[in-house]
Amino acid sequence: MDTSKHTLSTLFEQLGLASDEASIEDFITRYSPLPSEVALQDAPFWSESQSQFLEEGLEEDSDWAEIIDELDARMRH
C-alpha cells in the first residue's frame, strides 16, 4: 500500500504530465477557470485514462482524493 504523502507534483506524475512547479502552474493557468458545471474529471483536456484515474480517486475516496480536490479548487479560480 502506498502511504506516501501525495502532492500536486506526484499527482501530475501519476497523470503522465510534467510535474515541476512551473509546468503545474502553466497547466492550471492554461485550463482555468474550469466552469462550475464541469466536474474536474470530465474536463475536455484529460485523456480517457487520466479522467478515469481522477474519477476513481474521488469516488473511492482514495489517498489521492485530497490532492485531486486541491487541484479542483485551484482550477476554479
Side-chain angles (χ1 to χ4, degrees):
M1 179 176 180
D2 181 9
T3 58
S4 60
K5 173 101 173 80
H6 296 301
T7 64
L8 280 177
S9 182
T10 59
L11 176 61
F12 273 63
E13 286 175 13
Q14 187 68 26
L15 293 169
L17 300 171
S19 59
D20 60 280
E21 194 170 317
S23 295
I24 292 169
E25 290 303 319
D26 287 346
F27 180 92
I28 291 170
T29 300
R30 182 178 313 123
Y31 295 112
S32 292
L34 190 62
S36 60
E37 67 275 5
V38 177
L40 178 66
Q41 66 272 19
D42 295 334
F45 46 80
W46 301 120
S47 70
E48 186 175 333
S49 61
Q50 290 168 328
S51 177
Q52 185 175 17
F53 175 80
L54 294 168
E55 186 171 359
E56 289 174 1
L58 293 170
E59 283 181 355
E60 298 170 6
D61 197 25
S62 74
D63 56 343
W64 288 102
E66 187 176 331
I67 200 66
I68 294 169
D69 285 342
E70 180 182 326
L71 176 60
D72 188 19
R74 292 188 61 187
M75 296 293 293
R76 304 289 173 180
H77 296 345

